[in-house]
Amino acid sequence: MKLKTAMTYRFIYQLKSLGIFYLYFVLFTLIFPAMALFVAGGTLSSQSDLMFPAIIFAFIVALIGIQTDFKFFIQNGMNRLHILLTNILTNFVISNIIALTMLLFYQVFKSIALANFHYMFLLIDQYNPKQPGFYYGFLLAFIFFATTLGALCGLFFDRFSTVVRLIIGAGVILLPFLFGTIFTSLSHAARQEVVTALGHLIGISDKGLNAAPLLMTILVLTVINIIIIYLMNHRRELRRIS
């Protein structure tokens, strides 16, 4: 199977999944709230975030795809590098489509201007970007990061046995406690420096919120995810579909 054919196959699958997601999205963010408002006689109001549902969907599709597509493509003669490229490129394309369509949903909902409906990008709105293109860049960065994180989790579940997963999972869960222990053992000045450094990574400063550092942090984390995915996929066991 050629790279172009594999990308077309995976892209069609992603579009079908996206159609199902938008069906549920419209039901749970517009139709069901409208029915509740109608029953309540218009005395209630509804608020819906448009960002996190898209991120969750992107994560799940990437997690499933990195597992099932690998087995199918290997059976059809693709090597691991091409399979990885197919996964990353199609995830990037679908991330762009999701970001654009969510912005379209936002503009449509905003133009309707229903008194009892309030739609927002909860995290993006906190940073109050001045340019419309910043909304798109913010959405794309987070959605594509979610696909790389989903692919990484999918590889993790595929590569390691249950015992190893439990050990690594327990280690990940314990990391916040370890960080908290180390943090509380620091001097007051050192703790302030750590808080300031973390704040700079996500764009928090005395002057308010700045989205650029947060976007840079997400970009770096995305690159790190891709590098780890490549390393994990490089020696991935070749298993055929029975």
Side-chain angles (χ1 to χ4, degrees), residues 163-196:
V163 175
V164 176
R165 286 183 224 160
L166 290 174
I167 294 173
I168 296 177
V172 172
I173 293 174
L174 291 174
L175 276 177
F177 296 98
L178 178 61
F179 174 79
T181 302
I182 296 174
F183 181 78
T184 53
S185 66
L186 297 174
S187 64
H188 177 73
R191 288 200 297 268
Q192 287 296 111
E193 290 181 2
V194 172
V195 171
T196 301

Side-chain angles (χ1 to χ4, degrees), residues 61-205:
V61 168
L63 186 147
I64 296 173
I66 197 70
Q67 295 175 317
T68 57
D69 290 345
F70 179 82
K71 300 171 185 177
F72 176 75
F73 291 149
I74 281 293
Q75 189 181 37
N76 285 273
M78 287 189 72
N79 60 50
R80 280 171 286 191
L81 178 59
H82 283 178
I83 294 173
L84 181 63
L85 288 175
T86 298
N87 188 276
I88 293 175
L89 291 175
T90 53
N91 282 342
F92 182 72
V93 172
I94 204 68
S95 297
N96 278 273
I97 294 176
I98 295 172
L100 288 172
T101 51
M102 296 309 288
L103 284 172
L104 180 61
F105 274 126
Y106 177 73
Q107 292 299 327
V108 170
F109 292 151
K110 186 177 180 180
S111 64
I112 295 175
L114 298 174
N116 298 95
F117 287 85
H118 303 282
Y119 295 97
M120 56 189 172
F121 295 109
L122 182 60
L123 179 60
I124 301 178
D125 290 340
Q126 302 304 313
Y127 286 82
N128 192 26
K130 302 299 182 182
Q131 300 178 355
F134 221 64
Y135 271 89
Y136 171 72
F138 222 125
L139 273 174
L140 177 59
F142 272 93
I143 293 172
F144 185 55
F145 169 73
T147 65
T148 61
L149 188 60
L152 184 59
C153 291
L155 274 175
F156 170 78
F157 286 116
D158 190 66
R159 283 291 308 271
F160 300 109
S161 64
T162 303
V163 175
V164 176
R165 286 183 224 160
L166 290 174
I167 294 173
I168 296 177
V172 172
I173 293 174
L174 291 174
L175 276 177
F177 296 98
L178 178 61
F179 174 79
T181 302
I182 296 174
F183 181 78
T184 53
S185 66
L186 297 174
S187 64
H188 177 73
R191 288 200 297 268
Q192 287 296 111
E193 290 181 2
V194 172
V195 171
T196 301
L198 292 176
H200 287 163
L201 288 176
I202 58 176
I204 300 177
S205 65

Side-chain angles (χ1 to χ4, degrees), residues 5-72:
T5 305
M7 290 184 63
T8 302
Y9 168 83
R10 176 162 169 73
F11 188 59
I12 291 174
Y13 163 77
Q14 287 180 319
L15 286 179
K16 291 179 180 178
S17 301
L18 188 59
I20 297 173
F21 164 71
Y22 284 142
L23 176 62
Y24 280 95
F25 177 79
V26 171
L27 284 174
F28 284 97
T29 61
L30 183 61
I31 297 179
F32 286 167
M35 292 173 61
L37 290 174
F38 177 77
V39 172
T43 58
L44 300 176
S45 62
S46 172
Q47 290 186 334
S48 294
D49 176 60
L50 305 180
M51 181 175 176
F52 287 102
I55 291 175
I56 294 172
F57 166 77
F59 175 87
I60 294 174
V61 168
L63 186 147
I64 296 173
I66 197 70
Q67 295 175 317
T68 57
D69 290 345
F70 179 82
K71 300 171 185 177
F72 176 75

Side-chain angles (χ1 to χ4, degrees), residues 219-230:
L219 177 60
V220 171
L221 292 175
T222 300
V223 173
I224 292 174
N225 283 347
I226 292 175
I227 292 173
I228 297 175
I229 290 170
Y230 170 77

